[in-house]
Each structure stands twice: as structure tokens, then as C-alpha cells.
């Protein structure tokens, strides 16, 4: 502190000069239009560049906020995109399935559903779909994809339904060889996911390799004539019934969208059948 | 003593009026203006404290500015010149004089010393005055011409006055 005071004392004239010079400059820039204009334009240039610099710096601080906002927006857009893609896929699936699988002659109602869970590797395989009772999906309904029969609904909750896959030995489907009236029963033996066995064919049936196996229409799950698979091996045994090996039309490992077929028989048919059973 | 003070004040007033009423209206060759007001700084005795010298220069400049309508311009130039004057005087004092107070003159410093003394002070005054007046180096050649021209003219006049005084004794 003492040194500072000493410094001021020894350089007193310098400080006095600086004070007077400052007063002069203030007067100069306050009362002289020319100097004032030069001062203002220079000051504006300097302050402008300082503002520009600070803008550049604060701009970087703002980037974090901008980044957060962009991320939020991005997420929103992506979820919207996912919804739209889903809708589009659903529409496409509806379109494809309606053109390929269910013949127009059947009055069957169809519900398009997306598969949310599917197993192929187990002994008993099940398929879960994202439509349930609230969409009209109830047990005993059949499900098909664009290639062929996939399974039958076994249980349904309000939003979901579980179906027995064709790859489940508990499911038997009444089938026939297309073009003939020989009825058989299709069952999966658990060997591989591409093939099943059509059993209980009568010995007089004529079956050739490559024949198409279709649903018979005798069960309430499927209308008549839906593709199930193709005969790959027609060995004939000298027995009362014989069986053929069938390659399944649906590829169970790549299932995505399916159609639930509402083929429940009209009330009238049900009543008459019940009546018939009563006379047995 | 009183008579000397009155003479001094009258002299200051005369030089001042000469500057603001006559010299400020003279411009030779569009660049040279005589600044006889520097004479008041030149003849400031060495015993005057730097604060008094600066204050005197400041108020002298302010009053001059009132006449030229350039507030702060002459004041800044004169204060700067007075500041340098203080150091010049100090240098002379310690080299030649010891504690004795003196008034710089050609007789005392010699013609060479007095010429340098005058030229330096005038040059500083003119440089500050013209630089602040134009406040830009947009036309450096004209600025330089004005500084050099005015310095030369002023120095010549001041030396002539000094020569006349010395001759008169």
C-alpha cells in the first residue's frame, strides 16, 4: 500500500496530466460534432464486432439447448414414423391377404392382426396376435397368412389372442386333396417346421406328389378351399388308411401379419346340428 | 513585485489575444498556422510546480477553445505540451542549474539548446492538435504537411521573437 502511495507521489505529474487529458477528451467527444461522429462510428464498429463475437460464443452455449430440442423432435418424428409404417404395413397386409387367401365367395369376415409372439422350436408351438375379444377375435377362429393356413385361436383376452400353431400336435385340421373329396386330418409330428402329415386318407384316394392340400370346410375354423400345403411324398401302405407328407404353405419362421377368419357357422346350422345329435 | 506580476498577466493576455484573434485566422499554403500561444509555455519558469503548469495549460487551452469553438482540442494539446515541458525543464535543471529557478531563454540555453527546446515543444503541440483535430489517418500526407508546416512556422516566429528580445537586451 505504501509503495502504491509512493508510486502515486513520484508520478503525480503523470496522473495529473492523465486527468486533464481525460477531461479534454470528454469535452472533445461531447461538444465537437465531427469528433463525436468519428467516435460514434468507431464505437459502433467496435461494439458491433464485440456483439458479434459474444453472439458467436453464446451461440455455442445455445447449441446444447438446440440439440436437446432437436433430439426431442427427432424422437417424436421417429415414433410418428413408426406408427405410420405400422399402419402402412397393416394396410398392405390387409390388401395382400384379401386378394390372395380368402375367396370372395365366402361370407367370412376377416380381421387383420400382427403377430407379437411366435415360437417354432418347441414341441407345442403357440402364436400370439395383437387382436383380442374387443376386436371380435374369439376361440375356434382360424388364422391364415398370405400363403396359407397358420393355426387356430385357442384363447383370447380383450386385447390379445393366443392361437395353436399348425406346429402343435394338439391341433388337427380337416383337409382334403384339392380336386377330390378325400378327407384327411392334418397333424404336425414335431419333426421339422416345414412339414406335416395328412392322415386318415382312405386307401382308394388318389394322391400325387405336388397336389395341393386345402381345408375341407368341415370345421368351424376355416371355410372350404384354403391352401394348407403341398404333397411331397405319397407313399401308400396296404392298410385301411394311409398318410402323406405335406410341405406347409405358410413359412412359420417369417410370419408377420395374419388374418383371423371368422367362419363361425350361422345360428341355424348350429341349431340343426344340435337337433341331429339329440336323435342319436 | 506587483508590477512584474501585472506585466506578466498583461503579457499572457496579449499573447492569448494575438493567438485567438489573429494567428488562428492565418493559414499559409493551406497548411501552416502560427501558434504563438506556445510562447507562454516556453517562458514558464522552472520553479512552477508541474501541477500548476498543467492546470495553467489546461485553462489556457479551455479559454482558447472557447474562441475557436473546439472544446477540449487546444486544452489537450497544451496540457500534453506542458507535461513534456515539465520533463524538459527538469532535465535542464538537474544538468545545469541545481535548485535555482530560471526562465528558459536563448541567452541561458544557447541558441542551439533553445532551438531544440522550442522545436520539440512546438512539434508535440502541433502533432497532438492536428492528430486529434482530424482524428483519423485518412489523409496522412496532408496531416503531415500541416504538422511540419505549422511547427516550422511557429518555431521560426518564436525564435525571431527571442532574437528580437535578446537584441534589445
Amino acid at each position: 500500500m505504501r509503495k502504491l502511495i509512493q508510486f502515486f507521489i513520484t508520478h503525480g505529474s503523470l496522473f495529473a496530466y492523465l486527468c486533464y487529458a481525460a477531461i479534454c477528451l470528454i469535452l472533445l467527444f461531447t461538444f465537437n460534432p465531427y469528433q463525436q461522429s468519428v467516435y460514434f462510428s468507431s464505437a459502433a464498429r467496435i461494439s458491433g464486432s464485440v456483439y458479434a463475437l459474444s453472439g458467436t460464443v453464446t451461440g455455442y452455449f445455445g447449441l446444447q439447448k438446440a440439440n436437446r430440442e432437436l433430439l426431442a423432435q427427432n424422437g417424436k418424428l421417429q415414433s410418428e414414423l413408426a406408427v405410420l409404417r405400422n399402419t402402412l404395413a397393416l394396410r398392405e397386409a390387409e390388401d395382400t391377404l384379401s386378394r390372395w387367401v380368402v375367396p370372395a365367395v365366402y361370407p367370412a369376415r376377416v380381421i387383420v392382426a400382427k403377430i407379437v409372439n411366435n415360437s417354432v422350436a418347441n414341441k407345442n408351438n403357440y402364436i400370439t396376435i395383437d387382436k383380442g375379444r374387443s376386436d371380435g377375435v374369439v376361440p375356434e377362429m382360424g388364422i391364415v397368412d398370405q400363403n396359407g393356413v397358420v393355426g387356430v385361436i385357442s384363447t383370447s383376452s380383450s386385447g390379445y389372442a393366443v392361437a395353436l400353431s399348425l406346429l402343435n400336435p394338439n391341433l388337427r385340421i380337416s383337409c382334403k386333396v384339392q380336386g377330390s373329396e378325400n378327407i384327411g386330418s392334418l397333424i404336425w409330428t414335431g419333426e421339422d417346421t416345414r412339414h406335416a402329415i395328412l392322415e386318415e386318407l382312405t386307401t382308394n384316394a388318389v394322391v400325387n406328389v405336388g397336389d395341393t392340400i386345402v381345408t375341407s370346410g368341415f370345421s368351424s375354423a376355416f371355410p372350404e378351399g384354403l391352401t394348407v400345403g403341398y404333397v411331397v411324398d405319397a407313399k401308400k401302405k396296404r392298410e385301411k388308411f394311409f398318410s402323406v407328407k405335406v410341405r406347409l404353405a405358410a413359412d412359420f419362421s417369417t410370419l408377420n401379419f395374419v388374418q383371423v377368419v371368422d367362419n363361425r357357422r350361422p345360428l341355424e346350422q348350429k341349431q340343426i346340428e344340435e337337433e341331429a345329435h339329440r336323435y342319436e | 513585485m506587483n508590477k512584474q506580476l501585472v506585466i506578466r498577466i498583461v503579457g499572457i493576455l496579449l499573447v492569448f489575444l494575438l493567438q485567438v484573434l489573429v494567428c488562428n485566422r492565418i493559414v499559409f499554403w493551406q497548411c501552416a498556422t502560427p501558434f504563438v500561444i506556445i510562447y507562454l509555455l516556453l517562458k514558464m519558469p522552472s520553479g512552477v510546480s508541474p501541477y500548476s503548469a498543467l492546470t495553467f495549460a489546461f485553462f489556457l487551452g479551455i479559454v482558447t477553445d472557447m474562441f475557436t469553438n473546439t472544446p477540449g482540442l487546444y486544452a489537450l494539446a497544451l496540457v500534453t505540451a506542458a507535461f513534456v515541458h515539465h520533463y524538459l525543464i527538469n532535465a535542464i535543471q538537474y544538468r545545469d542549474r541545481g535548485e535555482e529557478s530560471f526562465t528558459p531563454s536563448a541567452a541561458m540555453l544557447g541558441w542551439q539548446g533553445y532551438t531544440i527546446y522550442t522545436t520539440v515543444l512546438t512539434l508535440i503541440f502541433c502533432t497532438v492538435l492536428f492528430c486529434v483535430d482530424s482524428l483519423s489517418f485518412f489523409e496522412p500526407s496532408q496531416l503531415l504537411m500541416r504538422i511540419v508546416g505549422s511547427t516550422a512556422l511557429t518555431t521560426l516566429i518564436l525564435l525571431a521573437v527571442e532574437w528580437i528580445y535578446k537584441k534589445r537586451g
Side-chain angles (χ1 to χ4, degrees), chain A residues 8-17 20-25 27-29 31-32 34-36 38-39, chain B residues 50-51 54-56 58-59 62 69-73 75-76 79-81 83 86-87 132-136:
Chain A
F8 274 105
I9 289 169
T10 45
H11 294 86
S13 59
L14 177 65
F15 288 107
Y17 165 66
Y20 281 127
I23 294 169
C24 292
L25 286 173
L27 290 172
L28 199 71
F29 289 120
F31 297 109
N32 294 281
Y34 169 68
Q35 272 81 4
Q36 204 174 21
V38 172
Y39 167 75
Chain B
Y51 305 109
L54 286 168
T55 310
F56 171 71
F58 177 72
F59 283 106
I62 290 292
N69 204 16
T70 54
L73 181 63
L76 185 63
V79 166
T80 308
F83 181 64
H86 163 66
Y87 280 97
V132 174
D133 187 36
S134 70
L135 211 62
S136 73

Side-chain angles (χ1 to χ4, degrees), chain B residues 39 44 49 69 71 81 115 129-130 135:
Chain B
Y39 189 72
M44 196 178 287
S49 82
N69 204 16
T115 307
L129 187 79
F130 287 124
L135 211 62

Side-chain angles (χ1 to χ4, degrees), chain B residues 55-134:
Chain B
T55 310
F56 171 71
F58 177 72
F59 283 106
L60 185 65
I62 290 292
V63 178
T64 314
D65 280 327
M66 284 176 186
F67 282 84
T68 57
N69 204 16
T70 54
L73 181 63
Y74 278 84
L76 185 63
L78 279 173
V79 166
T80 308
F83 181 64
V84 175
H85 168 263
H86 163 66
Y87 280 97
L88 282 177
I89 285 287
N90 264 0
I92 296 162
Q93 178 103 51
Y94 289 127
R95 200 189 63 186
D96 296 343
R97 296 289 148 180
E99 292 301 309
E100 187 193 344
S101 176
F102 66 97
T103 303
S105 68
M108 198 196 80
L109 297 173
W111 275 111
Q112 196 189 348
Y114 190 75
T115 307
I116 293 169
Y117 173 69
T118 310
T119 311
V120 168
L121 273 189
T122 313
L123 183 64
I124 284 161
F125 176 84
C126 289
T127 305
V128 173
L129 187 79
F130 287 124
C131 284
V132 174
D133 187 36
S134 70

Side-chain angles (χ1 to χ4, degrees), chain A residues 222-237:
Chain A
F222 298 103
E224 188 185 347
L226 297 181
T227 307
V228 176
Y230 309 96
V231 176
V232 290
D233 184 15
K235 57 184 177 192
K236 221 165 187 174
K237 288 179 197 164

